[in-house]
Amino acid sequence: MTSESLQPTGAPARRTIMAAAGAAGLAVALTACGSDDGSSDSSSSNTQAGANASGGDASSSASSGSGGTAFAKTSDIPEGGGKIFKDQGVVVTQPTAGTYKAFSSKCTHQGCAVSSIANGVIVCPCHKSEFSVADGSVKKGPATKALPAEQITVSGDSITLA
């Protein structure tokens, strides 16, 4: 008797295939859990987002980039509150009448998607962090960083990502 493998020599071992699949899955998971720290530390990002939301000069220069399709109407966003757009990964708020802001819908604490907006705050369901609808700042921890601002353009009654 010989101790040769019963596997054909040209095919990879099942263990090799499973390890490769696991490594690929891990890579996808780690990429999804990563954060883009550059946007939360940039003060020009917040200024640009505010100018875009209020229809200032920055909206025309910012919209010349990607010119996305409208994903919301201004009538969808309640005054003093907001709406979460899961497909776009953003929260759009209207802190005061006619002023629209946008923030990432990913909590800065552990990356959970925020789930609700009530009483002027955006709420994360995982650990109950709360963020201001006006500027994305932390109102209640455990999160310590504000929600990163996203650039939007308001044109008439349409809201698009800039």
Side-chain angles (χ1 to χ4, degrees):
M1 295 213 109
T2 62
S3 61
E4 291 181 29
S5 173
L6 297 176
Q7 240 179 10
T9 57
R14 180 173 183 225
R15 205 174 266 176
T16 303
I17 293 171
M18 295 303 289
L26 180 62
V28 169
L30 291 176
T31 302
C33 291
S35 66
D36 181 14
D37 293 331
S39 64
S40 64
D41 296 333
S42 171
S43 62
S44 65
S45 172
N46 291 337
T47 304
Q48 193 80 337
N52 288 347
S54 61
D57 291 335
S59 68
S60 60
S61 63
S63 66
S64 63
S66 63
T69 57
F71 65 91
K73 297 205 172 290
T74 55
S75 59
D76 295 339
I77 315 301
E79 184 179 340
K83 186 171 179 181
I84 300 165
F85 296 91
K86 291 180 183 179
D87 290 346
Q88 290 77 18
V90 298
V91 178
V92 177
T93 65
Q94 184 180 190
T96 58
T99 301
Y100 298 91
K101 305 278 184 158
F103 308 98
S104 169
S105 63
K106 185 169 132 180
C107 179
T108 57
H109 176 236
Q110 288 190 341
C112 295
V114 297
S115 64
S116 63
I117 303 168
N119 303 318
V121 293
I122 303 163
V123 181
C124 177
C126 294
H127 300 102
K128 307 298 183 219
S129 290
E130 296 180 358
F131 304 90
S132 168
V133 297
D135 59 9
S137 63
V138 177
K139 292 296 184 184
K140 179 180 160 193
T144 58
K145 291 183 180 178
L147 291 175
E150 296 287 338
Q151 294 183 4
I152 57 171
T153 301
V154 178
S155 179
D157 68 343
S158 297
I159 300 173
T160 60
L161 284 171

